[in-house]
Amino acid sequence: FDAIISDVSLHGEDGVALGQRIRMRPGYAQAPILILAARMDDALRDRCRTLHPRAAVPKNNRIGLIQALAHLL
């Protein structure tokens, strides 16, 4: 994959925890991971920073998503 994009709200898990599990898999330690969220707050941004400083992207910000992908790739 060139990048992994996940919603923060998943059935039975959240996207940040999923991203952290993906990072533990061989070959994915540096994989670009973005987390989309309808409501973005400082606590969520801090959790997303464990994946990448720009990992948190508001769902309704398509330009922000494109910019984050461009930065990561």
Side-chain angles (χ1 to χ4, degrees):
F1 301 100
D2 290 328
I4 299 164
I5 301 171
S6 176
D7 195 290
V8 71
S9 300
L10 302 172
H11 183 70
E13 184 173 29
D14 73 36
V16 178
L18 174 64
Q20 291 167 337
R21 282 198 356 253
I22 289 170
R23 283 287 166 82
M24 288 188 248
R25 295 186 63 116
Y28 289 91
Q30 299 300 317
I33 300 174
L34 295 176
I35 304 298
L36 303 178
R39 295 178 187 224
M40 192 66 63
D41 60 21
D42 289 339
L44 179 57
R45 279 188 194 89
D46 288 344
R47 290 184 59 227
C48 289
R49 284 186 187 111
T50 66
L51 301 172
H52 187 275
R54 290 187 169 187
V57 179
K59 270 187 191 180
N60 62 350
N61 186 350
R62 291 182 185 166
I63 293 172
L65 174 60
I66 292 167
Q67 290 172 337
L69 279 170
H71 178 76
L72 292 175
L73 302 176

